[in-house]
Amino acid sequence: MDHLLHLDRTLDELDPPRWMPPAADATHLVRAVHELRCVPLGELGPADLRTLVSQQVALPYVLPLAVRLLIEEPLLDAYFYEGDLLLAAVNAPASAWAVLPELGARLRTVITTLPETAVAGLPRGAAEELAHFVGEPAPRR
């Protein structure tokens, strides 16, 4: 199924059950995720996708959107730092990637083409996370 066909629909529509409103004392992050589930997929920006992927929300719908951005700009600075969306994606559970094997393969190809200097500029441990996702031995220090 091509999850990009549903860009006019929200996660609450596509990923049942609809979530109840957050509790009155919910954290900012919890409130943000609840709000993002009500935004049409086509309106989600890079920071929104990073948040949803990091929180493992509706991954079959948000990972394809994230990968679409990452193919164009692998080290996209979604919100916190260069490469934050990429690292969120590679840290998604293997079970999420198992249902999206073609996308996982495309992202692996993108990662293997990254220059070493670009990877070296990412936060500590990022090279190991990328290597693990690609299935290569971790780089030596």
Side-chain angles (χ1 to χ4, degrees):
M1 171 175 15
D2 186 352
H3 297 290
L4 296 178
L5 294 176
H6 305 292
L7 295 176
D8 60 331
R9 298 182 62 201
T10 69
L11 292 174
D12 266 354
E13 294 170 317
L14 295 168
D15 184 47
R18 286 182 187 266
W19 288 13
M20 300 301 295
D25 62 346
T27 65
H28 173 74
L29 178 60
V30 169
R31 289 181 182 285
V33 170
H34 278 259
E35 289 172 12
L36 291 173
R37 285 188 54 89
C38 299
V39 175
L41 293 182
E43 295 178 20
L44 294 171
D48 303 328
L49 294 171
R50 190 209 53 78
T51 297
L52 291 166
V53 171
S54 296
Q55 296 303 307
Q56 300 182 12
V57 175
L59 292 175
Y61 296 98
V62 297
L63 279 174
L65 297 170
V67 170
R68 182 171 67 170
L69 293 176
L70 294 169
I71 288 170
E72 295 296 319
E73 189 178 346
L75 298 178
L76 174 71
D77 180 342
Y79 187 74
F80 290 115
Y81 53 84
E82 187 175 62
D84 59 353
L85 180 59
L86 177 62
L87 292 176
V90 301
N91 284 303
S95 58
W97 289 108
V99 298
L100 302 165
E102 302 86 16
L103 282 176
R106 289 182 74 189
L107 188 57
R108 285 178 184 86
T109 299
V110 167
I111 292 168
T112 60
T113 63
L114 289 174
E116 277 187 46
T117 54
V119 174
L122 296 174
R124 177 177 292 168
E128 292 80 6
E129 292 171 24
L130 295 173
H132 181 263
F133 182 79
V134 172
E136 296 176 350
R140 292 182 171 210
R141 295 212 175 255

